[in-house]
Amino acid sequence: KTLASKGINCAAYHAGLETEIRNRIQDQFAKDDIQVVVATVAFGLGINKSNVRYVIHFEPPKTLESYYQEIGRAGRDGLPAEALFLYDEKDVERINKRIMEGENEQRVNVELQRFQAMRGFVDAQTCRRKVVLNYFAEFTEQGCGNCDICLDPPSQFDATEAAQKVLSCVFRIEQCGDIEHVVAVLRGEVNEKIRQLGHDKVSTYGIGKDKTPGYWFSIVRQLIHLGYLQQDIATQSSLCLT
């Protein structure tokens, strides 16, 4: 309604609409009779339209797989296209809650883990394209030169020693802990899991206690984005060396 009131030729599309209306909107969009469609994920993935110029996300998708597919609808004719990602801190809380409402516990756990990767994409300090490709194990050193990070890079510092501490810790605990666990070991925290697994005896226990949890979370996320670490969904998002 807001867009239409500004004179933009647009339509809404969601699962609650009658099939006949949905088909008509899809057809009109494909023929360029409608310029903008504001849609939920009900809008078909196989939109046969090569000249989509913009894909705008109003909140994060639940998975990087979804995001990759959705932005892939833009610029199929080979001409420049733009993806705009709008994000609010409250989105994470809302989407987490939505996932937690699922009835299948195993599925909920997997969805939460996959959404963690989406959160990592949002927090990235490295080229967005690199983050997406590394997630799919298609490692690349080359920045895309097009994303917000490439065009307006954040300030950097030499984190070699911090990276070595994290990678060494992952190795010492035999790659059997998620981000929270690795950070807890680095900071020398005392909890039941660390004691049970004997991770208070490894040489990297407590070597990062001078830094905050947020600092270590950030370092771990960058190591994931750069392709030095991967999260293994099959083992509750344990960090693995690549």
Side-chain angles (χ1 to χ4, degrees):
K1 282 180 183 175
T2 305
L3 291 175
S5 71
K6 307 282 184 191
I8 293 167
N9 184 2
C10 61
Y13 188 108
H14 58 85
L17 292 172
E18 291 173 20
T19 308
E20 188 186 330
I21 297 172
R22 292 210 309 266
N23 289 343
R24 188 170 73 241
I25 291 167
Q26 195 159 320
D27 186 53
Q28 287 178 312
F29 182 61
K31 291 175 179 171
D32 280 338
D33 294 334
I34 293 173
Q35 303 283 223
V36 177
V37 174
V38 182
T40 64
V41 289
F43 199 47
L45 276 173
I47 299 301
N48 187 21
K49 183 171 169 63
S50 64
N51 63 341
V52 174
R53 296 272 73 87
Y54 291 92
V55 173
I56 301 170
H57 281 87
F58 190 68
E59 70 170 20
K62 287 184 189 173
T63 68
L64 262 181
E65 285 90 344
S66 298
Y67 180 69
Y68 192 52
Q69 282 185 319
E70 288 157 17
I71 60 169
R73 300 179 200 186
R76 289 182 179 176
D77 53 9
L79 297 174
E82 197 164 331
L84 173 64
F85 191 104
L86 301 172
Y87 172 69
D88 184 298
E89 282 299 329
K90 297 189 191 80
D91 290 339
V92 167
E93 201 179 312
R94 190 166 60 249
I95 294 168
N96 265 335
K97 191 178 170 194
R98 215 179 288 160
I99 293 170
M100 296 285 282
E101 285 167 357
E103 291 176 8
N104 184 320
E105 191 182 341
Q106 198 173 1
R107 183 171 178 173
V108 165
N109 286 336
V110 170
E111 283 194 18
L112 285 172
Q113 288 170 50
R114 290 170 82 188
F115 185 53
Q116 279 283 357
M118 192 68 230
R119 289 177 64 179
F121 171 82
V122 171
D123 297 335
Q125 299 291 299
T126 41
C127 167
R128 305 277 182 195
R129 183 172 180 271
K130 278 169 78 169
V131 174
V132 173
L133 290 179
N134 287 354
Y135 176 76
F136 291 109
E138 294 179 30
F139 303 112
T140 176
E141 293 294 323
Q142 198 67 41
C144 69
N146 289 320
C147 70
D148 57 325
I149 301 288
C150 286
L151 295 172
D152 185 17
S155 56
Q156 297 186 331
F157 70 101
D158 185 347
T160 306
E161 195 176 312
Q164 286 170 336
K165 287 178 179 178
V166 171
L167 297 173
S168 177
C169 189
V170 171
F171 177 76
R172 304 276 171 208
I173 66 169
E174 298 178 342
Q175 308 179 85
C176 69
D178 60 10
I179 298 179
E180 282 88 353
H181 184 71
V182 170
V183 169
V185 173
L186 280 167
R187 297 192 71 251
E189 293 176 17
V190 180
N191 65 40
E192 192 57 36
K193 187 178 177 184
I194 287 174
R195 270 204 303 272
Q196 272 184 353
L197 296 170
H199 291 165
D200 51 346
K201 305 287 192 297
V202 299
S203 58
T204 48
Y205 180 72
I207 61 169
K209 59 175 176 278
D210 59 324
K211 295 283 193 287
T212 64
Y215 172 88
W216 289 116
F217 271 97
S218 181
I219 296 292
V220 172
R221 287 229 178 274
Q222 300 318 311
L223 289 170
I224 292 169
H225 299 334
L226 291 166
Y228 293 102
L229 288 172
Q230 260 192 318
Q231 290 171 289
D232 184 3
I233 288 177
T235 56
Q236 271 73 50
S237 287
S238 292
L239 290 174
C240 304
L241 300 166
T242 60

